[in-house]
Structure formats: structure tokens, C-alpha cells
Amino acid sequence: MNISGIIRTTHHRAQCIADAVSTDNLSEMRTWAEGNSVITRIASSKVRSVIASMDDYLMNLTVAEDVCEKSIQTDSSGVMR
């Protein structure tokens, strides 16, 4: 049995977020940005693996969103605007 799913979320800086979360992708995951959406496909032969991957991904997504939003608030000298 093969289980797969797609998570699509909308973000102001979708490419930044896709780049950040894709570094933690497992071999059965693929993440990319399309416009203002971040799309991740997860597949596995085990339900528990899909659930664990989704849980980890959603936590990473939250952190990436915070980091990407804060990065646009900081100028090149590191001072918050």
C-alpha cells in the first residue's frame, strides 16, 4: 500500500519558506513554491511515517514562516526596521 498526500499553504514569502523547509525533507517528500503557495507532497508505505512526517513538516513550516517574515524586517546591517 502506498499513502500520499499534498499540503498546500499560502505565504507572503513562499519561495523563502519552501527553501527553508525543503532542507529537512525526507526522501519521500518534495517541497516547492508556486506563486504564493508552498506545496509539499509526502508519500510512504506506512501510515505512521506519513503522520510523523506531516507533524514534523508543520512544525518546521511554522518556524520557517517566522524566520522569513523577520528577515524582511531586518536591513543589511542587522538592524530591525
Side-chain angles (χ1 to χ4, degrees), residues 38-50:
V38 175
I39 303 150
T40 296
R41 183 179 185 281
I42 301 172
S44 179
S45 60
K46 298 178 183 176
V47 173
R48 288 181 189 234
S49 294
V50 171

Side-chain angles (χ1 to χ4, degrees), residues 46-78:
K46 298 178 183 176
V47 173
R48 288 181 189 234
S49 294
V50 171
I51 292 169
S53 294
M54 287 177 64
D55 185 52
D56 290 346
Y57 172 79
L58 293 172
M59 183 58 71
N60 291 343
L61 188 66
T62 301
V63 172
E65 189 171 49
D66 288 344
V67 169
C68 288
E69 287 304 314
K70 286 187 181 8
S71 72
I72 63 171
Q73 297 172 359
T74 305
D75 67 17
S76 61
S77 65

Side-chain angles (χ1 to χ4, degrees), residues 20-32:
V21 297
S22 66
T23 61
D24 289 329
N25 281 359
L26 301 173
S27 60
E28 63 272 357
M29 296 173 71
R30 181 171 173 254
T31 300
W32 67 96

